[in-house]
Amino acid sequence: MKQIEVVAAVIINKHNQIFCARRKNDGPLALKWEFPGGKIEQGESLEDALIREIKEEFSTTIKVKDFIMTVNHQYEKFHLTMHAFYAEVIEGTLTLNEHTDSKWLKREQLFTLDWAAADLPIVRKL
């Protein structure tokens, strides 16, 4: 079984809203909502991977803050380990380069979205 290790950012704005992004319409997680992030490259720290991924996918620079949790989830074709951190935007406006939609939601609104299964433990913790 393929093992994938990723990082995810729970980006919170000054209005205490959380940034949510919807995936492209392809693959097993098509159009599911997620906390943005991506795969860790060899030799990269979790924080550096998260900063790089947000820069690539959203043309935005973030500051990685506190660790939230690590989620281990078994999808049908792969096992995912995801490390989630709080983050804040320090430069840029979160431009969608790879995602199809985004929303800023209050914590109590998060359950209105169709989340990727691995992101649900983070939603519950928030």
Side-chain angles (χ1 to χ4, degrees):
M1 183 70 58
K2 186 175 182 180
Q3 302 272 341
I4 300 174
E5 187 172 14
V6 300
V7 286
V10 175
I11 302 169
I12 300 178
N13 67 16
K14 63 184 176 188
H15 305 292
N16 209 29
Q17 295 171 310
I18 298 168
F19 184 75
C20 312
R22 190 171 67 182
R23 298 175 62 89
K24 289 189 252 184
N25 190 14
D26 65 340
L29 302 177
L31 299 176
K32 295 286 189 180
W33 288 85
E34 67 179 359
F35 296 109
K39 293 179 185 170
I40 303 160
E41 293 181 358
Q42 189 168 357
E44 206 172 33
S45 72
L46 300 178
E47 294 85 353
D48 288 345
L50 194 50
I51 291 167
R52 176 187 51 74
E53 285 286 347
I54 299 302
K55 187 76 163 169
E56 289 173 4
E57 294 183 8
F58 298 94
S59 303
T60 300
T61 303
I62 60 166
K63 177 180 180 182
V64 178
K65 301 184 94 170
D66 294 335
F67 172 75
I68 300 169
M69 68 187 300
T70 295
V71 175
N72 286 291
H73 185 79
Q74 184 65 52
Y75 283 104
E76 187 176 328
K77 298 197 185 259
F78 63 94
H79 182 271
L80 183 77
T81 300
M82 179 167 51
H83 309 284
F85 293 84
Y86 288 109
E88 68 177 310
V89 172
I90 56 174
E91 184 181 343
T93 57
L94 292 165
T95 303
L96 301 181
N97 296 329
E98 296 184 19
H99 291 77
T100 61
D101 196 5
S102 67
K103 293 176 187 269
W104 287 97
L105 297 177
K106 294 281 191 187
R107 281 177 166 82
E108 59 270 16
Q109 298 172 305
L110 292 176
F111 284 105
T112 64
L113 301 180
D114 183 19
W115 289 93
D119 289 77
L120 280 171
I122 302 165
V123 171
R124 287 186 203 103
K125 184 162 184 165
L126 295 176

